[in-house]
Amino acid sequence: MKSDIEICRDTELTPIDSIALQAGLLSEDLTPQGTLKAKVKPSVLKRLADKEEGKLVVVTAITPTPLGEGKTVTTIGLAQGLAKREQKVMACIRQPSMGPVFGVKGGAAGGGFSQVAPMEKLNLHLTGDIHAVTAAHNLAAAAIDARLYHEERHGYEAFAEKTGMAALRIDINRIVWKRVMDHNDRALRMITVGKNQPGKTINGLEREDGFDISAASELMAILALSKDLADMRQRIGRVVLAYNIDGNPVTAEDLQVAGAMAVTMCEAIEPTLMQTLEGVPTLIHAGPFANIAHGNSSVIADRIALKLSDFTITEGGFGSDMGFEKACNIKAQQAGRGADCAVVVATLRGLKANSGLYDLRPGQALPEAIFAPDDKALVAGFENLKWHINNAAKYGVPVVVAINRFPQDSDAELAALKTMIEQAHFSTHVDVAISEAFGKGGEGATELADAVINACQQPANFKPLYSLEQTLEEKLMTVAEVGYGGRGVELSDLAKQQLAELKAQGHDNLAICMAKTPLSITHDPSLKGAPTDFVVPVRELKLCAGAGFVYALCGNVMTMPGLPEKPAYLALDIDEDGNITGLS
Amino acid sequence: MKSDIEICRDTELTPIDSIALQAGLLSEDLTPQGTLKAKVKPSVLKRLADKEEGKLVVVTAITPTPLGEGKTVTTIGLAQGLAKREQKVMACIRQPSMGPVFGVKGGAAGGGFSQVAPMEKLNLHLTGDIHAVTAAHNLAAAAIDARLYHEERHGYEAFAEKTGMAALRIDINRIVWKRVMDHNDRALRMITVGKNQPGKTINGLEREDGFDISAASELMAILALSKDLADMRQRIGRVVLAYNIDGNPVTAEDLQVAGAMAVTMCEAIEPTLMQTLEGVPTLIHAGPFANIAHGNSSVIADRIALKLSDFTITEGGFGSDMGFEKACNIKAQQAGRGADCAVVVATLRGLKANSGLYDLRPGQALPEAIFAPDDKALVAGFENLKWHINNAAKYGVPVVVAINRFPQDSDAELAALKTMIEQAHFSTHVDVAISEAFGKGGEGATELADAVINACQQPANFKPLYSLEQTLEEKLMTVAEVGYGGRGVELSDLAKQQLAELKAQGHDNLAICMAKTPLSITHDPSLKGAPTDFVVPVRELKLCAGAGFVYALCGNVMTMPGLPEKPAYLALDIDEDGNITGLS
């Protein structure tokens, strides 16, 4: 079989203005970026205000292996399958981060015959949204350190006199805004900034700092959750960058940098229209990393797609405890629109990985044995699938299990899995379909499409797990107990102190955004399957007042990945005609 | 008078495909980015191979004040003036850096009625080239630290066995590739990376590092100097990132990251076509900062413009000792094409600033008094203009002095300056014209256009100051003595050692790229006018094997600027309809 990029290059694509027209977008709604990408103006929502919305299908998955179980393949394949069934459909996915593209996982355009095209444009830069988020974020970081330096250098009073601006009196030990970069760069996790040659202080004030990956920026969450430009501008103003020496928050508005940050992101708020290999219109918006970020595609993109199509297929990263939980509890509550159906992607290899019978390590290839039939591992791993089906059911939506077939999978083992699902008892409507979207495109996903059409006709009663009126503790407990099936949370001393402060500052009504490993439904990546006897350790809480949530760091989760021994970038190259090789 | 962004917004622009067509570009040469920007494929040069080239006019200036003397205004105004004179003309300028846009100087689109439009697109992101350079640069940085970490963690032999790749054995004390960011962020000048919690080493190995501003990246110079994609790919492979424990260079090719870096920059190699407020086609390519970088627009952009027009107007940053020196000694030698005419921009305020009679400080507004007539200061400062005219003359080109008129300037003082120039004796043809390009657009620059047309008819005999066959010492001495008029260079012990190593490694044939203050023709920003009795202290040499030069850091020059007390970002904001305010 040809490589992903070869398949993509050999497919004849439709000019994006035709794709747009077909989708119901007018030329005044678009800013084309070349012939195969176009920015879509959010103002289109005014024109479409009176249109009825279609069905919202959120694709989630079992607890994945580090290579992923094909959620984007299934998302794109399903959209193509629905198009084969003559349905009006759009897909909404997130812009890939260059971290995974050059790191372990590779690109995030789908794969095989279910890709967003051109995949090399999607995987690299696209229309610059992540760069814009990075630039806006780091402008605020530079602004804090500069203000700290100048106020210290002159003294507060002299600074105020010289500039006509009140001193902000930032507490150097309480700067909570790190810097960001869209690369897997572990050496930047913990750094010291503002170092000077002995006797000089021209490089600012020395302090401990660090970089997160750009997708984990609060600004990325703001981009995803804003309903329009004015909303984004206001949210950016509310972002807390630091605390002053009296313990009061210093916001981006206080620093007078919020306007410039919003200006930097003013094109990023427009989703990018592309197409699948079979010409299904696809909107790309906001960033990935549903483990350490909100990590869902944007409210604006979903809303546009819902207005333009009968089925909007979107995805939440990793298992249903990760992106799907945030799609339901954070995004749906802010957007006022929940899912009509959940698709849970499962693979034979992924279930066997969840049996705990294989020695899997992040950054390493999966053992060959996992692709051979293994009844014992499948039965053990099936517990994980059951868990995710029941988990999706808690949100009141019908479920479709999409078994994503890999070339090595045997018919017998696939049939066995299907039977196991059909014979199990679940608390919601559950359909099951085998998807061959990777190898066969939309034709390989018509069974899945039919199942989704059927599921969307079932009564749906979407509800988030918590309401915003509950206290922060109640929400944390709800996610840990109901969302993960554990025995609650244990707050570190730091987190306890932060919780008390957040409550005192009136932030009890915010949502909770959990940051934890995606490789287990718990906080511990080594606990596979469907464990129940665990308590989630919350080591730190961070206020994200602009995004509208409190960010809870659980276990040892890290917010900046690292490159493995043999990173994906080794294979990449380009010839003199601009043909890229090695991207997958 | 209206603000720059108001003027820009109130001007009706022509669709970019019409501008392109008018310039002689076909639709197959273009990738439009919206209706007012288009990427131009370098392959157009094959189609135009047999076309004769027009005249190349390089705009330079006197030693500027920190606010600049209007070089881009004059470049754009001159192009518009030539168009008014029915000449076929294109301008080639560099993409603005967000550092100055948010910092001291503001945007770099020109100003008044001589701007590239839309100025907010030019000043922010444009088509993402600087972001691409930043991403490619930082990928290499992450790759070095990751490789260092994995080789150390496993041990060289075990690493080689595990990965099938030879250990690179990078010397942690000799990593010469810093990270970059396109912001003025002084706190990142000197940092410690790879810090760990006690007893852990999961964040890499601790070492001293720092960030430069992105425009100073060797990759930006490579972008500017490459003749095509294949050349860029090869140059990136030659970039030296570190030395191994035997003292041998470790290149981007050795690290197998050069392909991925080139992939990251494969769209950046295409210049962006825009237009001036009067519809003159303008190519934007490569980055600014001719003080700490090569800092000229690209060879590819110039070449395309030369093929398409009778006059190509480009600019080199700061005074003729800075960007113009590098345009002639680095860029012209690599491109095999020198200038036909130099335009030296002078202002009354800039000359008075060069008198040494005013107390000027970077980051602070100029004193009001400098705008009032001041004969003594003008006469004293005139020495600086004479110096720059004679300096340009050394390169064998005719000179046009463009006196860029500010609204406060008196007719009498302008006339006096003009007379001083006309009565002085120079070793090349010198014309002089007053430009009112800022206030009147092309109509205000027709006198200048006529002077340039006249100068381009003079016999030109372009020659760089040195040939690449000379030794590195000879080139350093030549720039300091002939290019700056000083008494040579003094190398630090470190620089001496580096020079010996560069020679031993066979790099004697590279060009020299000087990094020094732009606020004096010397290395000392306090020395105004036309000093002669100085020796240039070279504190450090860096090999830029991909760019084809040795980078010489002189005096206290810093390669990462800082934000001032009242940065330009304070004024920026955006309304709900996307209208930007406060950008200039």
Side-chain angles (χ1 to χ4, degrees):
Chain A
M1 191 168 154
K2 292 189 285 189
S3 72
D4 288 351
I5 195 165
E6 285 166 348
I7 292 171
C8 195
R9 194 176 301 139
D10 293 349
T11 303
E12 201 171 324
L13 300 173
T14 306
I16 201 65
D17 45 359
S18 304
I19 295 283
L21 201 66
Q22 214 176 292
L25 291 164
L26 309 178
S27 69
E28 70 239 37
D29 301 326
L30 299 180
T31 310
Q33 309 288 317
T35 55
L36 297 170
K37 305 188 297 274
K39 282 281 198 184
V40 180
K41 297 178 188 143
S43 59
V44 66
L45 286 170
K46 285 185 196 153
R47 182 167 69 72
L48 301 172
D50 296 333
K51 275 204 84 180
E52 219 173 300
E53 294 191 346
K55 298 289 187 183
L56 180 60
V57 179
V58 179
V59 179
T60 177
I62 59 168
T63 300
T65 65
L67 301 175
E69 301 318 305
K71 202 161 41 265
T72 308
V73 167
T74 305
T75 300
I76 301 308
L78 169 57
Q80 294 183 151
L82 285 162
K84 291 277 179 215
R85 290 296 195 237
E86 309 291 334
Q87 301 295 322
K88 202 156 170 46
V89 59
M90 286 181 81
C92 288
I93 67 168
R94 299 153 297 159
Q95 183 187 352
S97 158
M98 290 203 280
V101 167
F102 295 127
V104 177
K105 198 170 176 179
F113 291 91
S114 292
Q115 294 186 61
V116 176
M119 65 89 94
E120 70 275 20
K121 302 290 179 197
L122 178 66
N123 282 318
L124 298 160
H125 310 306
L126 190 61
T127 49
D129 296 351
I130 294 182
H131 292 318
V133 166
T134 304
H137 186 115
N138 290 335
L139 172 62
I144 299 165
D145 272 307
R147 186 68 171 255
L148 183 77
Y149 168 70
H150 289 304
E151 290 193 11
E152 172 79 17
R153 192 163 67 94
H154 293 295
Y156 296 148
E157 277 185 38
F159 175 86
E161 197 172 320
K162 181 168 187 213
T163 62
M165 303 187 294
L168 292 175
R169 303 175 303 130
I170 295 164
D171 182 347
I172 190 170
N173 297 312
R174 291 202 67 195
I175 294 173
V176 291
W177 193 252
K178 290 160 69 175
R179 289 170 169 84
V180 298
M181 186 180 281
D182 189 34
H183 279 307
N184 289 1
D185 195 344
R186 70 166 65 68
L188 294 180
R189 285 176 191 152
M190 283 178 64
I191 66 175
T192 305
V193 300
K195 298 191 75 169
N196 285 281
Q197 301 287 2
K200 294 187 180 176
T201 55
I202 55 172
N203 299 339
L205 303 183
E206 186 171 321
R207 65 183 187 86
E208 302 310 300
D209 196 15
F211 278 72
D212 292 331
I213 194 152
S214 299
S217 167
E218 183 180 349
L219 297 182
M220 185 60 89
I222 289 176
L223 184 71
L225 296 169
S226 293
K227 67 174 201 282
D228 55 29
L229 182 58
D231 185 26
M232 183 176 84
R233 170 63 185 82
Q234 284 162 24
R235 285 169 178 264
I236 292 173
R238 291 200 292 270
V239 163
V240 173
L241 303 171
Y243 292 84
N244 70 11
I245 52 176
D246 301 324
N248 295 319
V250 177
T251 65
E253 208 69 76
D254 295 331
L255 200 58
Q256 284 174 258
V257 72
M261 292 164 75
V263 166
T264 305
M265 286 171 58
C266 70
E267 289 185 0
I269 202 175
E270 304 181 349
T272 300
L273 179 71
M274 295 182 77
Q275 64 191 292
T276 74
L277 291 176
E278 297 178 6
V280 174
T282 303
L283 291 173
I284 327 290
H285 210 202
F289 283 98
N291 51 340
I292 54 172
H294 150 268
N296 276 272
S297 85
S298 80
V299 168
I300 289 175
D302 282 8
R303 192 66 79 180
I304 293 171
L306 284 165
K307 290 286 185 184
L308 292 172
S309 62
D310 295 325
F311 290 91
T312 294
I313 319 297
T314 183
E315 57 171 339
F318 304 110
S320 74
D321 51 321
M322 304 302 303
F324 183 76
E325 183 268 313
K326 291 159 182 169
C328 297
N329 290 323
I330 300 174
K331 179 176 158 185
Q333 294 214 61
Q334 293 201 20
R337 177 65 156 92
D340 295 294
C341 167
V343 173
V344 178
V345 177
T347 61
L348 292 178
R349 77 171 193 196
L351 290 175
K352 287 183 257 179
N354 267 293
S355 68
L357 300 172
Y358 290 88
D359 182 24
L360 304 177
R361 291 181 192 188
Q364 291 187 21
L366 297 176
E368 265 307 304
I370 207 168
F371 292 101
D374 182 341
D375 220 37
K376 195 175 149 201
L378 186 61
V379 168
F382 180 63
E383 294 304 308
N384 184 262
L385 174 56
K386 275 207 298 196
W387 188 94
H388 284 285
I389 296 170
N390 283 324
N391 188 46
K394 288 173 202 152
Y395 295 86
V397 292
V399 171
V400 175
V401 179
I403 305 175
N404 179 28
R405 178 174 197 155
F406 279 69
Q408 306 98 319
D409 293 346
S410 79
D411 288 337
E413 203 172 23
L414 288 165
L417 174 59
K418 203 169 168 186
T419 304
M420 284 159 78
I421 300 165
E422 283 163 352
Q423 293 182 349
H425 178 74
F426 299 105
S427 54
T428 186
H429 173 96
V430 176
D431 273 324
V432 58
I434 293 174
S435 169
E436 299 190 77
F438 185 90
K440 299 182 181 170
E443 278 301 345
T446 48
E447 184 190 335
L448 176 59
D450 292 338
V452 166
I453 293 169
N454 179 47
C456 283
Q457 285 161 352
Q458 307 302 317
N461 178 29
F462 175 81
K463 54 177 190 298
L465 291 189
Y466 56 74
S467 82
L468 295 177
E469 286 68 42
Q470 291 176 269
T471 65
L472 288 171
E473 296 97 313
E474 285 168 344
K475 289 171 205 156
L476 276 166
M477 291 298 273
T478 301
V479 175
E481 292 177 3
V482 187
Y484 301 160
R487 292 190 292 101
V489 294
E490 186 175 354
L491 272 63
S492 70
D493 289 345
L494 175 64
K496 279 181 197 158
Q497 182 196 322
Q498 290 165 328
L499 181 66
E501 191 175 87
L502 287 167
K503 292 172 77 73
Q505 288 170 352
H507 296 301
D508 228 2
N509 61 339
L510 296 179
I512 293 286
C513 183
M514 301 291 264
K516 75 165 187 75
T517 179
L519 300 177
S520 168
I521 57 171
T522 78
H523 58 279
D524 179 349
S526 71
L527 297 176
K528 299 299 179 190
T532 52
D533 188 22
F534 62 95
V535 172
V536 180
V538 176
R539 70 170 201 258
E540 194 179 344
L541 297 175
K542 286 188 185 176
L543 173 62
C544 296
F549 55 66
V550 170
Y551 188 56
L553 290 151
C554 304
N556 297 320
V557 69
M558 286 188 289
T559 48
M560 170 58 96
L563 289 169
E565 285 94 342
K566 295 193 78 169
Y569 73 67
L570 295 172
L572 257 75
D573 217 329
I574 191 166
D575 71 15
E576 60 184 28
D577 297 320
N579 297 308
I580 295 169
T581 49
L583 194 62
S584 63
Chain B
M1 190 165 153
K2 290 188 286 190
S3 72
D4 287 351
I5 195 164
E6 285 167 347
I7 291 171
C8 195
R9 194 175 301 140
D10 294 349
T11 303
E12 200 170 328
L13 300 173
T14 306
I16 201 66
D17 46 359
S18 304
I19 295 284
L21 201 67
Q22 212 176 295
L25 290 163
L26 309 178
S27 70
E28 70 238 37
D29 300 326
L30 300 180
T31 310
Q33 309 287 317
T35 55
L36 296 170
K37 307 188 296 269
K39 282 280 197 185
V40 180
K41 296 179 189 143
S43 59
V44 67
L45 286 170
K46 285 185 194 154
R47 183 167 68 73
L48 302 171
D50 296 333
K51 276 204 84 179
E52 221 174 298
E53 294 190 346
K55 298 290 188 183
L56 180 61
V57 179
V58 179
V59 179
T60 177
I62 60 168
T63 300
T65 64
L67 301 177
E69 302 317 305
K71 202 160 43 267
T72 307
V73 167
T74 306
T75 300
I76 301 307
L78 169 57
Q80 293 183 150
L82 284 161
K84 292 273 179 219
R85 290 299 194 232
E86 309 289 334
Q87 302 295 322
K88 201 158 169 48
V89 59
M90 285 181 82
C92 289
I93 67 167
R94 299 155 296 159
Q95 183 187 350
S97 159
M98 289 202 280
V101 168
F102 295 127
V104 177
K105 199 171 176 176
F113 293 91
S114 293
Q115 294 186 62
V116 175
M119 65 89 94
E120 70 275 20
K121 302 287 180 200
L122 178 67
N123 282 319
L124 297 161
H125 309 305
L126 189 61
T127 49
D129 296 353
I130 294 182
H131 292 317
V133 166
T134 304
H137 187 114
N138 291 336
L139 172 63
I144 300 165
D145 272 307
R147 187 67 171 252
L148 183 76
Y149 168 70
H150 290 303
E151 290 193 12
E152 172 79 15
R153 191 163 66 95
H154 293 295
Y156 298 147
E157 278 184 38
F159 175 86
E161 199 172 317
K162 180 167 189 213
T163 62
M165 304 187 293
L168 292 174
R169 302 176 303 130
I170 295 163
D171 182 347
I172 190 170
N173 297 312
R174 291 202 67 195
I175 295 174
V176 292
W177 192 253
K178 290 162 66 174
R179 289 171 170 84
V180 297
M181 188 180 280
D182 189 35
H183 279 307
N184 290 1
D185 194 346
R186 69 166 64 69
L188 293 180
R189 284 176 191 151
M190 284 177 64
I191 66 174
T192 306
V193 300
K195 298 192 76 170
N196 286 281
Q197 301 288 2
K200 293 188 181 176
T201 55
I202 55 172
N203 300 339
L205 304 182
E206 186 170 322
R207 66 184 186 84
E208 302 308 300
D209 196 14
F211 279 72
D212 292 332
I213 195 154
S214 298
S217 167
E218 182 180 352
L219 297 181
M220 185 60 88
I222 287 175
L223 184 71
L225 296 169
S226 292
K227 67 174 200 284
D228 54 28
L229 182 58
D231 185 25
M232 183 176 85
R233 170 65 185 82
Q234 285 162 26
R235 286 170 178 263
I236 291 173
R238 292 199 293 271
V239 164
V240 173
L241 303 173
Y243 293 85
N244 70 12
I245 52 176
D246 300 326
N248 295 319
V250 177
T251 65
E253 209 68 79
D254 294 331
L255 200 58
Q256 286 174 254
V257 71
M261 292 164 75
V263 166
T264 304
M265 286 170 58
C266 71
E267 289 186 1
I269 202 176
E270 304 183 349
T272 300
L273 180 70
M274 295 182 77
Q275 63 191 294
T276 74
L277 291 177
E278 296 177 7
V280 174
T282 303
L283 291 172
I284 326 293
H285 211 201
F289 283 99
N291 50 341
I292 53 172
H294 151 269
N296 276 272
S297 85
S298 81
V299 168
I300 289 176
D302 282 8
R303 193 65 81 178
I304 293 172
L306 285 164
K307 289 286 186 183
L308 292 173
S309 63
D310 295 326
F311 290 91
T312 294
I313 319 297
T314 183
E315 58 172 339
F318 303 110
S320 74
D321 52 321
M322 303 302 300
F324 183 77
E325 182 269 311
K326 291 161 182 167
C328 296
N329 290 323
I330 300 174
K331 178 176 159 185
Q333 293 213 64
Q334 292 202 22
R337 177 65 157 88
D340 295 294
C341 167
V343 173
V344 177
V345 177
T347 60
L348 292 177
R349 76 171 192 194
L351 290 175
K352 286 183 259 179
N354 267 292
S355 68
L357 301 173
Y358 289 89
D359 181 25
L360 304 177
R361 294 185 188 183
Q364 291 187 19
L366 297 175
E368 265 306 306
I370 207 168
F371 291 101
D374 181 342
D375 221 36
K376 195 172 151 207
L378 185 61
V379 168
F382 181 63
E383 293 305 309
N384 184 267
L385 174 57
K386 277 208 296 197
W387 188 95
H388 284 285
I389 296 170
N390 282 324
N391 188 45
K394 289 173 201 151
Y395 295 87
V397 291
V399 171
V400 174
V401 178
I403 305 175
N404 179 29
R405 178 174 197 155
F406 278 69
Q408 306 96 323
D409 293 346
S410 80
D411 288 337
E413 202 172 24
L414 286 166
L417 174 59
K418 201 169 171 186
T419 305
M420 284 159 78
I421 300 164
E422 283 163 352
Q423 292 181 351
H425 178 75
F426 299 104
S427 54
T428 187
H429 172 95
V430 176
D431 273 326
V432 58
I434 292 173
S435 169
E436 300 189 75
F438 185 90
K440 298 181 181 169
E443 278 302 346
T446 48
E447 183 190 337
L448 176 60
D450 291 339
V452 166
I453 293 168
N454 179 46
C456 283
Q457 285 161 351
Q458 308 301 317
N461 178 27
F462 174 81
K463 52 178 192 300
L465 292 189
Y466 57 74
S467 82
L468 295 177
E469 287 70 42
Q470 291 176 271
T471 66
L472 287 170
E473 295 97 313
E474 285 168 345
K475 289 171 207 159
L476 276 167
M477 292 298 275
T478 301
V479 175
E481 291 176 2
V482 187
Y484 301 160
R487 293 189 292 100
V489 293
E490 186 176 356
L491 273 62
S492 70
D493 289 344
L494 175 65
K496 278 180 195 156
Q497 181 196 320
Q498 290 165 326
L499 181 66
E501 190 175 88
L502 287 167
K503 294 171 76 76
Q505 288 171 352
H507 296 301
D508 229 1
N509 60 340
L510 296 178
I512 293 286
C513 183
M514 302 289 266
K516 76 166 186 75
T517 179
L519 300 177
S520 167
I521 58 171
T522 79
H523 58 280
D524 179 350
S526 70
L527 297 176
K528 299 297 179 193
T532 51
D533 188 22
F534 62 94
V535 173
V536 180
V538 176
R539 70 170 201 258
E540 194 178 346
L541 297 174
K542 284 187 186 176
L543 172 62
C544 295
F549 55 66
V550 170
Y551 187 57
L553 290 151
C554 304
N556 297 321
V557 69
M558 284 187 289
T559 48
M560 170 57 95
L563 288 170
E565 286 94 340
K566 295 191 79 169
Y569 73 67
L570 295 172
L572 257 74
D573 217 328
I574 191 165
D575 70 15
E576 60 184 27
D577 298 320
N579 296 308
I580 295 169
T581 48
L583 194 61
S584 63

